[in-house]
Amino acid sequence: MKRIEIINGPNLNLTGRRELEVYGSTTMEEYLDTLRRHFPEVEISFYQSNVEGKLIDEIQRAGFAADGLIVNLGGYSHTSVALRDALLAVPAAKIEVHMSNIFAREEYRHHSLITSACRGMVCGLGLKGYEMALRSLM
């Protein structure tokens, strides 16, 4: 069995309730239930925090315990060298996910510091991006 942890950053706790035209109306909890039903052979864990230091702690913990990490670090993706360094420090395979198309948004979102620390990136596919990342890690 593969162990995959999804780590979400700031404001993603509001998925399904904020900017419905961008993020949709399905909550992350609802989507996790769907993923777990469709991939029973994978142990899927989930963590979310709005706090950068807590995200670093979780990347360090999960990055040694899981086979793969799916990270959506929200706005921190564009600003946090510390989160990038945490991703580089752990052996788990990593895929970056963004529900929105970051290249169709504000210019400052066009560059992610996280991408070069990951195997790949999925963006613009909404929650479906998590499934694509999961399939890639499998």
Side-chain angles (χ1 to χ4, degrees):
M1 173 184 287
K2 286 249 184 201
R3 292 183 59 199
I4 305 296
E5 176 146 355
I6 297 170
I7 300 176
N8 276 357
N11 300 310
L12 293 168
N13 56 308
L14 299 177
T15 299
R17 295 180 289 177
R18 81 180 246 248
E19 298 176 85
L20 301 180
E21 68 285 355
V22 175
Y23 299 102
S25 59
T26 303
T27 67
M28 195 65 199
E29 293 76 17
E30 292 167 338
Y31 191 69
L32 284 169
D33 289 342
T34 300
L35 282 178
R36 289 177 178 131
R37 273 195 319 276
H38 285 86
F39 298 94
E41 71 280 12
V42 180
E43 180 183 332
I44 301 171
S45 302
F46 176 73
Y47 181 84
Q48 189 280 327
S49 179
N50 293 318
V51 179
E52 184 178 25
K54 289 183 178 185
L55 290 165
I56 291 167
D57 289 342
E58 186 61 16
I59 289 168
Q60 291 176 354
R61 186 202 65 73
F64 286 98
D67 298 302
L69 303 178
I70 298 170
V71 295
N72 182 344
L73 300 174
Y76 287 142
S77 301
H78 316 289
T79 63
S80 180
V81 172
L83 283 166
R84 180 185 184 281
D85 289 347
L87 289 167
L88 289 171
V90 299
K94 297 155 287 269
I95 303 288
E96 178 182 18
V97 169
H98 294 281
M99 287 184 269
S100 68
N101 179 353
I102 61 173
F103 302 104
R105 297 186 66 187
E106 303 90 346
E107 190 173 329
Y108 67 87
R109 295 186 194 274
H110 295 186
H111 180 73
S112 169
L113 298 175
I114 303 307
T115 306
S116 62
C118 296
R119 179 185 290 174
M121 184 216 311
V122 180
C123 75
L125 301 178
L127 287 169
K128 183 83 169 168
Y130 291 94
E131 178 184 343
M132 301 302 291
L134 181 59
R135 287 184 185 280
S136 173
L137 289 171
M138 292 175 63

